[in-house]
Amino acid sequence: MKPSDTDFAALMAPIHATFNAVTKIKDESRSNREWSLHFQTISDGAGCVGWVQAPSSPAEAVKEQKEAAEFYANRVISTYKEKDKKHVDWARSYIALIEELRKYVLEYHKMGLIWNPKGGKATEFSLESVGGAPGKSSAPLPPPPPPPPPPPLIETTPPPASSGGAALTGTAAVFAQLNQGMDITKGLRKVEKSEMTHKNPSLRVSSTVPARSPSPSPTSKQPPKPKKPVSLQAKKPPKKELQGGKWIVEHYENDKEIVLDDVSISQVVALYGCKNCVVQVKGKINGVTMTNCQKTSIVIDSTISVISITNCQSFQLQILGTAPTIQIETTDFGQVFLSETCLGAEIITAKCSAINISIPTGSEGDFSEKPVPEMLRTVIQDGKLVSSIVEHSG
């Protein structure tokens, strides 16, 4: 039967502890470039187990967690599809697992978690009560079925060589040749010096070069098809829409008034392919990603997860509230403005140049600009590489 709110909270405590442990592992693994996307995928999808606390439409809550996990799962697939298929299969299996959970919840708990009014107390539930683990009074398990019969033997002995005049063909001819042993070379004729092409250049001149096949074999490598210049590529229409738990903002140009004011803490914002734009996100959200944008600025209130900027040129980021982590990769020329409540943020950069962090210095809106180090000095100490920042004076 349905437990009280206090008992239900106690039942959910192990799940919350496990989810917090997953989040902690994700945060500690951000610097691991090989597995950070995997941990992010797991963390964004792990919240699906909380559907039991959804007051209505729990299947929709599972769907939102699935779509949040798909964002990083697709990045895993894109990164490893040409390197290691195991990573691709793992990402697809994880998303498929969440989808199966959504189908189950939609079928059996469409309007919320259903309790058995005639059942026992939820706090006294155990696997033995439903036969999950055999107890003392449980009946013994039936014996396993007998193993299948052995496969029939296949005759591999080659047929004997024919004593008649008929020539052997196919497999019989191959085995007949192998059975000759060392005598197989007796039929070879010694090549005379006058027949050797490396000692008679005239033979090389008169030799016939085999004609090339008119159609190349499927395995032959073809030259890569040149990409169309950016100036000649067709422009895609701008789009701003909510897809599940993700706001998609892409292909905007020269628009300074893009505003997202209807966001929630379970949603993420993804910017892609914007140029010379200003985007403002009002409200606290889960996370933000900005990819392949040029001369684009984004103003954010607060996030509870990472802000990721990848392959962008001349960007500006302003955080009015708080954000735990800012991750910048393969980006040139960027400016990050932090608020007084965001000074504890962790900033991770890789393959970047000309990135500056502006820190508030007073109540009048003044900022102090600090460049992110780009040059490192690495030395070997006790068999290990030790790196330090190179500081220039003068």
Side-chain angles (χ1 to χ4, degrees):
M1 64 181 63
K2 184 176 181 180
S4 63
D5 294 342
T6 304
D7 292 340
F8 189 55
L11 292 173
M12 293 297 298
I15 297 179
H16 289 303
T18 304
F19 182 75
N20 292 335
V22 171
T23 304
K24 182 179 179 181
I25 294 175
K26 175 203 69 174
D27 295 337
E28 293 175 349
S29 305
R30 293 190 187 280
S31 59
N32 190 331
R33 297 180 60 84
E34 183 178 2
W35 298 105
S36 60
L37 293 177
H38 301 70
F39 287 123
Q40 188 70 48
T41 303
I42 296 174
S43 177
D44 286 359
C48 66
V49 299
W51 69 269
V52 295
Q53 294 181 293
S56 62
S57 302
E60 188 65 25
V62 177
K63 180 181 177 182
E64 291 182 0
Q65 295 298 323
K66 171 196 164 188
E67 291 174 346
E70 277 181 336
F71 178 77
Y72 288 98
N74 290 337
R75 292 182 64 179
V76 173
I77 295 173
S78 176
T79 302
Y80 290 96
K81 64 181 179 180
E82 302 294 340
K83 298 178 182 179
D84 193 341
K85 192 174 181 294
K86 292 186 294 184
H87 296 264
V88 178
D89 294 341
W90 173 87
R92 290 174 176 169
S93 300
Y94 186 70
I95 297 302
L97 178 65
I98 302 177
E99 173 62 18
E100 291 300 319
L101 175 62
R102 186 194 68 82
K103 293 179 181 178
Y104 165 79
V105 175
L106 184 62
E107 182 176 357
Y108 297 102
H109 304 275
K110 186 174 183 180
M111 301 308 297
L113 182 61
I114 299 176
W115 297 90
N116 183 4
K118 298 182 180 180
K121 293 183 178 180
T123 54
E124 299 176 357
F125 173 80
S126 63
L127 292 178
E128 288 81 358
S129 63
V130 293
K136 295 181 180 180
S137 61
S138 60
L141 297 177
L153 296 177
I154 301 176
E155 182 63 40
T156 59
T157 305
S162 175
S163 58
L168 297 177
T169 60
T171 308
V174 174
F175 282 107
Q177 292 290 328
L178 295 176
N179 289 334
Q180 296 182 25
M182 298 300 296
D183 294 337
I184 194 172
T185 60
K186 288 184 177 180
L188 299 179
R189 182 178 65 86
K190 184 178 180 181
V191 180
E192 302 294 337
K193 293 184 178 180
S194 60
E195 298 174 338
M196 298 179 181
T197 57
H198 67 283
K199 294 188 176 182
N200 295 276
S202 58
L203 295 178
R204 295 197 298 268
V205 175
S206 61
S207 61
T208 303
V209 178
R212 184 177 179 181
S213 174
S215 60
S217 62
T219 58
S220 61
K221 293 184 178 180
Q222 299 293 332
K225 185 178 180 180
K227 294 183 179 180
K228 185 181 294 186
V230 178
S231 59
L232 300 180
Q233 293 179 3
K235 292 185 178 180
K236 296 183 180 180
K239 180 171 66 174
K240 183 182 74 171
E241 65 179 13
L242 178 62
Q243 297 180 358
K246 182 192 303 183
W247 278 99
I248 303 296
V249 181
E250 59 184 13
H251 305 304
Y252 276 87
E253 289 190 12
N254 303 318
D255 192 336
K256 307 291 187 179
E257 299 180 356
I258 305 174
V259 180
L260 300 176
D261 52 6
D262 188 18
V263 299
S264 67
I265 197 171
S266 62
Q267 296 173 348
V268 297
V269 176
L271 276 67
Y272 181 85
C274 296
K275 185 177 181 180
N276 196 24
C277 296
V278 177
V279 181
Q280 186 173 1
V281 182
K282 296 182 178 180
K284 194 172 186 178
I285 55 175
N286 188 290
V288 176
T289 63
M290 185 165 64
T291 308
N292 291 341
C293 296
Q294 298 182 15
K295 298 181 180 179
T296 297
S297 303
I298 180 170
V299 182
I300 303 170
D301 282 359
S302 294
T303 66
I304 62 174
S305 184
V306 64
I307 299 175
S308 177
I309 300 174
T310 306
N311 197 25
C312 295
Q313 305 295 323
S314 300
F315 77 92
Q316 286 189 348
L317 167 66
Q318 184 174 5
I319 303 173
L320 303 179
T322 60
T325 305
I326 303 170
Q327 183 174 320
I328 308 173
E329 299 182 28
T330 320
T331 297
D332 299 324
F333 303 102
Q335 192 80 26
V336 178
F337 295 89
L338 301 178
S339 66
E340 293 184 356
T341 57
C342 194
L343 297 181
E346 179 183 26
I347 302 174
I348 303 172
T349 60
K351 299 176 66 175
C352 298
S353 63
I355 305 297
N356 296 315
I357 311 298
S358 294
I359 303 173
T361 57
S363 59
E364 298 181 359
D366 296 330
F367 286 87
S368 175
E369 188 176 274
K370 305 292 183 181
V372 175
E374 301 177 21
M375 185 178 296
L376 301 177
R377 177 192 297 110
T378 302
V379 296
I380 301 175
Q381 295 180 359
D382 299 329
K384 298 181 180 180
L385 298 180
V386 179
S387 299
S388 59
I389 300 174
V390 176
E391 297 182 357
H392 298 279
S393 59

